[in-house]
Amino acid sequence: MTARRSFVVALALFGCGGDSIAWEYRFESVALRDEARVIEARVLRGGCSGEELAAYRFAPGERSAVAPAPLEDGRYGLEIEARDESCRWFARGCAEVEVPSDVQVVQVVVSASTAREACPGACEAGVCAGE
Amino acid sequence: MRRAFVGLVGLFVVTLCPSARGQAPSTRARAMLDEARFDEAVVAFDEVLDLRDGLEREDVLDALLGRATAHLALRDEAAAANDVALLLAIEPDVTLDRRHPPSLHRLVERARRTAPPPLVLHAAARGVAGGVEIEVAHEGARELVRAVEIHHDGGVGRWQSARSGRVAVRADAPVRYFVVAIGPGGAWLATSGTQDDPRYVAPERAVVLETEPEVETPRRRRWPVALGVIGGVLVAGAVVAIVATRGGDDRTALGRPREVIE
């Protein structure tokens, strides 16, 4: 998959160490956001090319009702990927964060990526059968 | 003998394997078996079982059967037995027929007698203030389980899932949930509960304790007690606050992903 470059903005606020990190994401364009039907957020161990530790699915504009498990010390990738109406992953972004760190907000910018199918079976409005 | 074995394998591949799922690695692996290129077949089935998505449970079963068949053809009975044990862990009632090589029949029957531990999901849920917590653990077939997923409706009938062994869900109504063991290629290997037949857990409700009848005591003797209670509460509060912010858990909390619109 050749994803377009995704921009990552990590904001250090007030320069003080924190034991919580806010996870934000935004779409690179309104057009991309309008296409999104399902968002999947993933925590990857070791960075953006690392092993998936946890994943959370929710609708655009909503927040996951699930709170991610707290992170042990180490490097992580916070990945956001979006599905369109026909259940294709079409946009992605990832930001890396070192824990512990002074970073209090990690913002992932979601850019267009090479489309790939998300469902082995049927799809309806971005949701795979059985999900 | 070898020709007969190859013939049986070929028949097995042509007639039994899933036909039209269309995953290239599966097709390639089956072709290797068909052509008696067993070393390459093992590698190809390894690749199938390393896939991140696109597989269903039956594909995993077929890949294990195929790899076990290739291992047997290579006289690597230990590796074949391992595949068969994994197969029985996720499908204890698997049935073979005459299209499978007799050596595979014998191996499955032997493995059945030793009863490899099945893949079992243990889901535990409890109500907490403001919501529920759901945890899931699994045992058996660890080699195959890539992740566990917790699916829940948040108490509002809208299903979501988290690929994690534990979730905390904010809710003020009973939460329906079920859990899934995810295997190679994203296949659902086992579930506890289903979307149609989910489990339930309710948020914790405020508990009102009945107050004990007050014991008449001289007023001047109650002040020290009251001060002691207040002091105790303050100290306990301070300890709890310190523990909550500093001690006990050095891990870093990660907020729920939130969209920012600019």
Side-chain angles (χ1 to χ4, degrees):
Chain A
M1 185 176 83
T2 56
R4 282 176 54 187
R5 181 179 172 199
S6 64
F7 298 89
V8 169
V9 182
L11 306 174
L13 299 180
F14 310 119
C16 54
D19 37 27
S20 72
I21 295 173
W23 182 0
E24 297 180 348
Y25 69 95
R26 69 176 175 83
F27 284 91
E28 198 177 41
S29 71
V30 174
L32 278 179
R33 187 185 188 281
D34 287 347
E35 261 190 83
R37 293 293 176 272
V38 170
I39 305 290
E40 189 162 304
R42 307 184 190 105
V43 181
L44 310 172
R45 191 204 309 273
C48 285
S49 54
E51 169 202 5
E52 180 182 298
L53 280 182
Y56 312 92
R57 275 199 290 272
F58 46 93
E62 294 186 356
R63 292 184 73 176
S64 162
V66 177
L71 302 176
E72 308 281 353
D73 291 356
R75 189 170 190 78
Y76 295 90
L78 303 183
E79 182 180 56
I80 299 287
E81 195 164 23
R83 267 188 224 164
D84 65 11
E85 179 82 12
S86 56
C87 294
R88 290 177 313 154
W89 297 115
F90 75 100
R92 178 186 173 275
C94 184
E96 295 195 343
V97 62
E98 191 81 35
V99 172
S101 81
D102 290 339
V103 171
Q104 294 191 328
V105 179
V106 173
Q107 189 175 100
V108 180
V109 178
V110 183
S111 312
S113 62
T114 303
R116 62 187 171 86
E117 298 298 326
C119 313
C123 161
E124 187 177 342
V127 178
C128 303
E131 280 186 344
Chain B
M1 183 67 185
R2 183 179 169 90
R3 184 174 293 175
F5 182 84
V6 170
L8 278 170
V9 168
L11 193 59
F12 158 66
V13 168
V14 168
T15 58
L16 189 68
C17 288
S19 55
R21 293 196 182 92
Q23 281 89 33
S26 299
T27 306
R28 193 168 59 249
R30 288 195 294 271
M32 302 290 177
L33 258 190
D34 195 21
E35 294 162 17
R37 294 155 64 187
F38 299 117
D39 283 312
E40 293 165 86
V42 168
V43 173
F45 281 118
D46 286 345
E47 287 171 7
V48 172
L49 294 169
D50 281 340
L51 287 172
R52 285 191 65 173
D53 48 35
L55 295 186
E56 295 177 9
R57 191 168 182 275
E58 290 70 24
D59 299 312
V60 175
L61 298 176
D62 286 322
L64 288 169
L65 272 176
R67 195 169 65 178
T69 304
H71 281 311
L72 280 175
L74 293 167
R75 304 280 189 265
D76 187 350
E77 188 157 326
N82 185 56
D83 282 340
V84 167
L86 291 172
L87 178 79
L88 292 177
I90 57 177
E91 184 55 73
D93 298 325
V94 68
T95 54
L96 307 185
D97 57 34
R98 63 189 174 83
R99 291 170 294 186
H100 293 96
S103 52
L104 189 59
H105 278 264
R106 288 194 293 273
L107 192 61
V108 169
E109 286 315 308
R110 270 208 307 278
R112 239 193 262 280
R113 286 196 289 274
T114 63
L119 171 59
V120 179
L121 281 169
H122 301 285
R126 65 189 184 104
V128 296
V132 302
E133 288 181 354
I134 305 168
E135 282 188 77
V136 59
H138 63 90
E139 58 180 321
R142 290 191 171 276
E143 206 176 307
L144 284 180
V145 177
R146 305 288 186 261
V148 289
E149 277 186 357
I150 299 173
H151 297 245
H152 66 86
D153 76 345
V156 293
R158 189 183 181 89
W159 286 93
Q160 300 186 53
S161 66
R163 191 163 284 193
S164 171
R166 176 187 169 279
V167 297
V169 182
R170 290 181 189 171
D172 52 16
V175 172
R176 294 183 295 170
Y177 72 96
F178 64 97
V179 299
V180 183
I182 304 294
W188 287 22
L189 297 182
T191 64
S192 176
T194 64
Q195 189 164 338
D196 294 332
D197 184 19
R199 295 162 172 269
Y200 286 83
V201 58
E204 190 175 84
R205 295 187 183 282
V207 177
V208 180
L209 296 175
E210 284 188 23
T211 51
E212 289 184 11
E214 212 170 285
V215 179
E216 281 293 326
T217 51
R219 178 180 284 267
R220 59 190 167 92
R221 298 186 68 181
R222 291 173 68 185
W223 273 105
V225 174
L227 288 172
V229 169
I230 291 169
V233 167
L234 288 174
V235 170
V239 170
V240 167
I242 290 168
V243 168
T245 56
R246 296 277 176 191
D249 191 350
D250 291 335
R251 296 176 300 174
T252 299
L254 181 63
R256 293 177 297 151
R258 183 174 73 88
E259 185 179 2
V260 177
I261 300 173
E262 293 179 350

